[in-house]
């Protein structure tokens, strides 16, 4: 079939594919330890589920505004103001089908064919694909462990051409767990403003942060910076709501009106009762977020200690999110071959670093229970030993 060129070059998301494969193997009765997709193993908190069930019982089952329920957009505006010092009105926010959809929408309304989108690597694997779907050009800015996997202002400056339009920032980062400090963001902001770049700040992991690290939103630095910033966020990670598919995009009014128009012809509103669950997530008690964060912090300490005791494995100390990006190059395999053998012969699912722009690494999600972590790390240690 003669498919459109823009989709023929798009591969399946490896995070989702590996997670589906490990789930299928588990369903076949195989004992697979899955460190694949970043998906909290916790249940969605009860009060959030109850709000969605109540909404169903109250008949909130019909079309709603394409850009999202006004009460939810207002609650998000309040959250952005209180948590992130970002002043957005409700009409500058569109509720999307997860954080992923908010980023796709942004690329569609902002990027013209040939526009360059700057993406620091290691990057979340869907960013370049979304840029390509918008017929833009992903420009990858490589970083190393030595620079804590963060881009420098000089590096940004150097990557900017007359076609550069948008910078994608993701802090805490998937896959490295790195967090930009306020000073680092300030230095990047100066370059962004000098060159009239746009920036999208993917803040989906903002609540999952460790050891005194602090989340800062680049848009909060100054009114000028706010006027060049888009915020992408959602409910999946902080509230264990991955399957609900509720996220949002915030930004300049003209752009968000365009997102609303586009959504009115594409998805219409996000699932009505899921939005009521999201309202409860924001308005209800927040201790559930802290309880999950503490569990992730404990697992992070454990996995780092174990990985660092495995000869041939090196890894950064994550400051946030729930991933470790471990260097396994000593095994002498590409990250794809490493992960394939690890899954097929040792029953451990991990995501090849190649998908994130770093073939010497693998990504391990530790959003899983301690037993699985312990068993999976034993198996990984055995595999590594067999390769050295
Ligand atoms: N964002 C998560 C991950 O990186 C979930 C899967 C996906 O959407 O890619 O694992």
């Amino acid at each position: 079939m003669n498919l459109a060129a823009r989709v023929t070059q798009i591969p399946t998301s490896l995070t989702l594919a590996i997670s589906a494969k490990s789930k299928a193997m588990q369903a076949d009765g195989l004992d697979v330890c899955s460190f694949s997709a970043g998906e909290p193993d916790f249940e969605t908190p009860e009060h959030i589920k109850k709000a969605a069930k109540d909404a169903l019982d109250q008949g909130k089952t019909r079309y709603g505004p394409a850009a999202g329920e006004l009460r939810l957009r207002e609650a998000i505006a309040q959250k952005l103001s209180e948590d992130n010092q970002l002043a957005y009105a409700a009409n500058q926010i569109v509720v999307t089908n997860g954080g992923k959809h908010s980023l796709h929408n942004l690329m569609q309304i902002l990027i013209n064919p040939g526009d360059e989108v700057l993406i620091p690597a290691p990057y979340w694997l869907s960013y370049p694909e979304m840029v390509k779907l918008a017929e833009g050009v992903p420009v990858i800015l490589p970083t190393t462990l030595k620079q804590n996997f963060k881009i420098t202002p000089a590096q940004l400056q150097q990557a900017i051409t007359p076609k550069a339009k948008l910078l994608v920032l993701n802090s805490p980062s998937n896959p490295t767990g790195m967090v930009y400090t306020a000073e680092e963001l300030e230095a990047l902001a100066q370059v962004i403003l000098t060159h009239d770049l746009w920036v999208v700040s993917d803040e989906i992991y903002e609540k999952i942060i460790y050891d005194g690290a602090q989340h800062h939103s680049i848009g909060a630095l100054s009114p000028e910076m706010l006027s060049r910033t888009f915020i992408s966020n959602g409910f999946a990670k902080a509230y264990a709501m991955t399957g609900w598919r509720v996220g949002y995009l915030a930004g300049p009014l003209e752009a968000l009106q365009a997102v609303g128009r586009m959504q009115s012809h594409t998805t219409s509103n996000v699932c009505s009762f899921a939005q009521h669950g999201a309202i409860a997530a924001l308005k209800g008690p927040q201790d559930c977020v802290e309880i999950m964060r503490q569990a992730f912090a404990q697992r992070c300490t454990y996995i780092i200690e174990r990985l660092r005791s495995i000869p041939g494995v090196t890894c950064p100390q994550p400051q946030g999110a729930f991933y470790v990006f471990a260097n396994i190059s000593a095994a002498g395999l590409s990250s794809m071959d490493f992960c394939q053998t690890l899954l097929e012969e040792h029953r451990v699912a991990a995501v090849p670093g190649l998908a994130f722009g770093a073939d010497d690494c693998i990504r391990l999600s530790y959003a899983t229970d301690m037993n699985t972590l312990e068993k999976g790390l034993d198996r990984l240690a055995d595999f590594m030993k067999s390769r050295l």
Side-chain angles (χ1 to χ4, degrees), residues 101 108 115 134 162 200 281:
H101 185 220
Q108 292 297 321
D115 282 348
V200 58

Side-chain angles (χ1 to χ4, degrees), residues 13 15-16 37-38 100 124-125 174 205 237 323 363:
S13 161
T15 45
L16 297 187
K100 194 178 257 181
W124 178 48
L125 75 189
N174 172 8
Y205 297 100
K237 314 295 185 184
Y323 308 104
R363 191 194 75 174

Side-chain angles (χ1 to χ4, degrees), residues 274-328:
Q275 290 190 66
H276 286 275
I279 294 171
L282 289 179
K283 297 252 177 222
Q286 299 299 305
D287 49 340
C288 51
V289 178
E290 176 56 15
I291 290 167
M292 290 189 269
R293 188 200 68 80
Q294 284 179 14
F296 292 133
Q298 200 190 2
R299 296 166 186 185
C300 180
T301 305
Y302 176 76
I303 192 170
I304 290 294
E305 215 177 277
R306 287 289 313 271
L307 284 173
R308 288 190 171 158
S309 73
I310 301 175
V313 176
T314 51
C315 55
Q317 179 69 47
Q319 295 176 291
F322 35 56
Y323 308 104
V324 185
F325 205 53
N327 188 307
I328 45 76

Side-chain angles (χ1 to χ4, degrees), residues 117-321:
V117 178
L118 311 182
I119 304 176
Y123 47 77
W124 178 48
L125 75 189
S126 292
Y127 297 144
E129 308 309 330
M130 291 171 178
V131 173
K132 290 190 223 157
L133 276 173
E135 296 178 40
V137 179
V139 175
I140 307 301
L141 279 58
T143 67
T144 59
L145 177 57
K146 238 197 194 148
Q147 61 187 107
N148 279 329
F149 292 122
K150 299 185 213 180
I151 53 162
T152 61
Q155 200 179 2
L156 177 59
Q157 171 83 44
Q158 227 174 18
I160 296 173
T161 72
K163 290 196 163 173
K165 188 151 190 188
L166 174 71
L167 167 70
V168 180
L169 273 185
N170 173 216
S171 175
S173 151
N174 172 8
T176 66
M178 289 301 143
V179 174
Y180 281 90
T181 64
E183 293 71 32
E184 287 163 344
L185 291 175
E186 179 67 60
L188 293 176
Q190 283 179 20
V191 182
I192 291 164
L193 290 176
T194 309
H195 293 274
D196 282 344
L197 270 189
W198 294 98
V199 58
V200 58
S201 181
D202 177 353
E203 307 191 352
I204 190 82
Y205 297 100
E206 62 161 334
K207 300 286 182 196
I208 303 164
I209 203 151
Y210 315 121
D211 300 330
Q214 271 184 11
H215 168 73
H216 296 280
S217 184
I218 192 164
L221 294 176
S222 66
E224 295 72 40
M225 201 51 239
L226 185 68
S227 70
R228 308 294 305 174
T229 301
F230 292 89
I231 305 290
S232 166
N233 206 332
F235 295 82
K237 314 295 185 184
Y239 298 98
M241 291 171 68
T242 47
W244 293 60
R245 310 314 299 141
V246 192
Y248 53 91
L249 184 72
L253 182 61
E254 188 186 349
L256 269 290
Q257 282 173 336
V259 172
R261 289 200 301 277
M262 193 173 69
Q263 225 165 247
S264 77
H265 288 291
T266 52
T267 54
S268 301
N269 61 280
V270 167
C271 169
S272 53
F273 44 92
Q275 290 190 66
H276 286 275
I279 294 171
L282 289 179
K283 297 252 177 222
Q286 299 299 305
D287 49 340
C288 51
V289 178
E290 176 56 15
I291 290 167
M292 290 189 269
R293 188 200 68 80
Q294 284 179 14
F296 292 133
Q298 200 190 2
R299 296 166 186 185
C300 180
T301 305
Y302 176 76
I303 192 170
I304 290 294
E305 215 177 277
R306 287 289 313 271
L307 284 173
R308 288 190 171 158
S309 73
I310 301 175
V313 176
T314 51
C315 55
Q317 179 69 47
Q319 295 176 291

